[in-house]
Amino acid sequence: MQRRSLSLLAAAVVLTTAAAPLAEARAPGPAVATRHAVHGAARVTGTPAPGVTLTTLTYGRRGTDDVWTVQVSLPRTPDGSPAGAPLALGPRETALRIATALREKGFEPRVEQVTTPAFADLRPGTLGWTVRTGRYADEAGAVALADRLKAAGFTARTRYTAQDGSDEDAPQRVHVLKVDLTAFGGRLEAGHGPTLYGTEKLTALMGSAGAVAGINAQWFYNNAPGGLYVRNGRLLGSATQGRAGIRMEGGGRAVAVDTFTARVTVTAAGETVEVDGVNRMPGEIWNCGGVGGDLPTQRPQHDVKCTDASELVRFTPEWGAPPAGPGAEAVLDAQGRVTAVRSTRGAAVPRGGSTLQATGDSAAWLLRTAKAGATLVFDEQVRDGAGRAVPLGPDTTILQVGPALVRGSRVAVNAVADGIVREGADPTFTYEWTVRANPRSMIGVDAAGRLLLVVADGRRPGVSEGLSIDGAARLMRALGARDALNLDGGGSSVLATRTGVVNRPSDATGERSLGTGLLLLPPAAR
């Protein structure tokens, strides 16, 4: 049972523009942290280094309505078959029809309304309706019922109701690393493996860098980080236009959560055109939010792959071996001088240089304008949510992840603009990713400038259920965050110190390999 409804009407969403700044939160209102279950938590605290404290908070309790149940999937169309139905939620009329079909076969269904809270850019409302049946103290009973439902021609899966995301008193284990950089003397930096193309476990990244502690950071797709990635002033990853991120200067001594856009252009033979991406697979724009006519949308859409058959994508030495394939490419030295032009893609990136790959119609443009010995001029501009240029100094780091959780000590989740409320009539993703409880990783900064690196364990029935996005935002505000950002989560959520992994990752195999991590480096390490 969903004990406190969460909601949203996907069909009635009015989308904001990708470059819009983060909206002011509509709810909850107060700028100061209100009482939260975390305030009464049992605490276990350690000190991994001077100025660094690690606190594990255990709070919440198992309720009498925390049970295993079975969710019956709904078809996409009102008259669709329940066999192979793909939707977790749907219109009320469809849910009622499937419930009737269940009763006719001897089952006892419940039709439940699912809602979301108010987000900064979206009012609350009904997300959809789900059909459930059965209540069991353990999963075995629910598994047996799901098997019976499948044999009867329905599509079903087990659910634990405490993970519906609506219960603030659900059991939780939250791990909080608080860092006073003045006392610590070190810095927080972004890190990735030997190349951007390829993933590494957080503990391996920490070992290579000599880090005191670390947390997972960005999403990763095609074995590479997704979203704007600026490290030490170098633009290493394409922006998801208008999505939230964190900007750090001085190794984390100045921190800002904002939305970011980026525009990269190249001038060849007097013609200036837009570069579609930096260090990513040409034609595949994960999370959408790209430029140049991507399909089906140029708005951010989390975990959706948009496509574009005609692209220019720049590769830097940090990437590793660029992808090979049809099209064209220019090989450039450190000064941007063209050393070779090829009618296929896949040349190695020269030391200090780059390659510019082209696909589709862009290949003809590159072959026409890029000539051996000529110089190509790139211009890179990053802007914040207010449209101001962001200088990329040698100490600038930007990691685009999202959504933003807290701004100015207020809960402020731009769910629509950040793409965690998807376009279209299917609310399943919003339900599974945004509304339901999952393991979450978060970064924040409090009013005193101390960093907060936080992981909430999840998918551990009766022990730690995880958090909805709204729950993650309220947790970070309760922990004292002035500003906070959601990082990659789910099986990627991991917090570690030199002594090992602190939390319990939800993957059965344990710690997952990552695209990027945030590493707490001691004073001597750089």
Side-chain angles (χ1 to χ4, degrees):
M1 185 176 87
Q2 296 177 332
R3 282 170 283 186
R4 216 176 57 165
S5 296
L6 300 170
S7 76
L8 151 168
L9 228 142
V13 167
V14 179
L15 293 167
T16 60
T17 61
L22 286 168
E24 287 296 319
R26 294 196 193 100
V32 296
T34 55
R35 189 71 183 171
H36 185 282
V38 74
H39 293 138
R43 301 163 184 257
V44 177
T45 303
T47 307
V52 182
T53 59
L54 174 63
T55 304
T56 295
L57 304 169
T58 303
Y59 62 95
R61 58 183 176 81
R62 183 168 181 169
T64 56
D65 51 355
D66 293 346
V67 296
W68 285 95
T69 189
V70 178
Q71 178 177 290
V72 180
S73 299
L74 305 181
R76 291 190 184 278
T77 59
D79 57 351
S81 170
L87 305 185
L89 307 178
R92 183 172 181 268
E93 294 74 15
T94 303
L96 290 172
R97 182 175 69 82
I98 296 301
T100 298
L102 286 164
R103 288 191 193 94
E104 290 172 352
K105 294 198 175 184
F107 299 101
E108 298 179 1
R110 308 183 304 277
V111 175
E112 297 178 354
Q113 183 183 28
V114 179
T115 57
T116 58
F119 291 117
D121 59 352
L122 188 68
R123 293 181 182 137
T126 299
L127 178 61
W129 299 79
T130 189
V131 177
R132 289 177 170 180
T133 182
R135 298 176 188 272
Y136 300 92
D138 56 42
E139 189 176 13
V143 169
L145 177 58
D147 289 342
R148 287 174 50 211
L149 285 159
K150 292 171 187 176
F154 296 92
T155 305
R157 62 173 296 182
T158 62
R159 291 288 199 186
Y160 189 60
T161 58
Q163 294 173 9
D164 285 341
S166 54
D167 183 7
E168 195 165 284
D169 292 324
Q172 304 291 355
R173 286 190 181 172
V174 175
H175 313 274
V176 182
L177 195 78
K178 183 179 289 188
V179 183
D180 181 340
L181 285 171
T182 300
F184 175 61
R187 52 194 294 116
L188 187 69
E189 287 195 353
H192 56 266
T195 60
L196 284 172
Y197 182 65
T199 58
E200 292 280 335
K201 291 183 177 180
L202 178 65
T203 48
L205 293 174
M206 288 172 54
S208 298
V212 170
I215 193 171
N216 64 292
Q218 288 177 291
W219 325 113
F220 49 99
Y221 305 93
N222 292 329
N223 288 318
L228 179 64
Y229 181 26
V230 175
R231 185 174 187 265
N232 299 331
R234 284 178 57 81
L235 198 158
L236 301 180
S238 305
T240 305
Q241 306 290 21
R243 194 163 196 183
I246 192 160
R247 172 187 173 191
M248 300 189 301
E249 305 282 349
R253 285 163 175 79
V255 175
V257 173
D258 209 329
T259 56
F260 296 95
T261 58
R263 187 167 189 257
V264 180
T265 61
V266 60
T267 301
E271 297 181 31
T272 299
V273 297
E274 196 158 42
V275 175
D276 296 87
V278 177
N279 289 329
R280 67 161 172 80
M281 295 294 179
E284 298 186 5
I285 307 94
W286 277 99
N287 290 336
C288 301
V291 297
D294 303 340
L295 297 174
T297 181
Q298 288 185 198
R299 296 188 177 100
Q301 293 286 277
H302 185 65
D303 275 355
V304 172
K305 182 176 75 174
C306 284
T307 60
D308 188 343
S310 177
E311 286 203 310
L312 289 172
V313 176
R314 188 185 192 191
F315 290 91
T316 69
E318 289 87 351
W319 172 266
E329 70 184 357
V331 181
L332 314 173
D333 65 15
Q335 286 71 48
R337 185 174 62 88
V338 179
T339 60
V341 180
R342 295 162 38 96
S343 56
T344 58
R345 299 181 293 112
V349 180
R351 184 180 180 85
S354 63
T355 64
L356 183 62
Q357 292 197 357
T359 59
D361 294 341
S362 295
W365 178 87
L366 188 65
L367 292 171
R368 177 173 60 82
T369 58
K371 304 299 181 182
T375 298
L376 303 190
V377 179
F378 290 89
D379 181 62
E380 299 176 342
Q381 295 184 18
V382 175
R383 295 188 179 276
D384 64 17
R388 297 172 298 221
V390 177
L392 302 184
D395 218 16
T396 301
T397 291
I398 302 174
L399 290 174
Q400 199 175 38
V401 198
L405 301 173
V406 179
R407 296 293 306 281
S409 300
R410 295 178 183 270
V411 170
V413 178
N414 275 35
V416 176
D418 217 88
I420 63 168
V421 172
R422 284 192 189 164
E423 300 173 5
D426 181 359
T428 298
F429 168 82
T430 302
Y431 173 60
E432 301 283 4
W433 197 95
T434 306
V435 170
R436 283 185 58 80
N438 289 286
R440 305 283 181 186
S441 296
M442 298 145 278
I443 182 172
V445 60
D446 68 12
R450 294 170 298 193
L451 294 169
L452 301 170
L453 307 181
V454 181
V455 165
D457 282 338
R459 302 172 186 163
R460 300 179 63 192
V463 177
S464 190
E465 311 301 350
L467 299 168
S468 67
I469 284 295
D470 179 64
R474 288 184 287 109
L475 169 68
M476 291 303 287
R477 189 181 68 160
L479 291 173
R482 182 196 72 215
D483 294 282
L485 179 79
N486 183 66
L487 301 172
D488 191 6
S492 297
S493 284
V494 59
L495 182 70
T497 66
R498 281 174 171 163
T499 59
V501 175
V502 172
N503 70 307
R504 183 172 172 178
S506 65
D507 282 1
T509 52
E511 185 185 0
R512 182 185 288 183
S513 290
L514 310 171
T516 55
L518 283 163
L519 309 177
L520 187 63
L521 304 180
R526 180 63 197 259

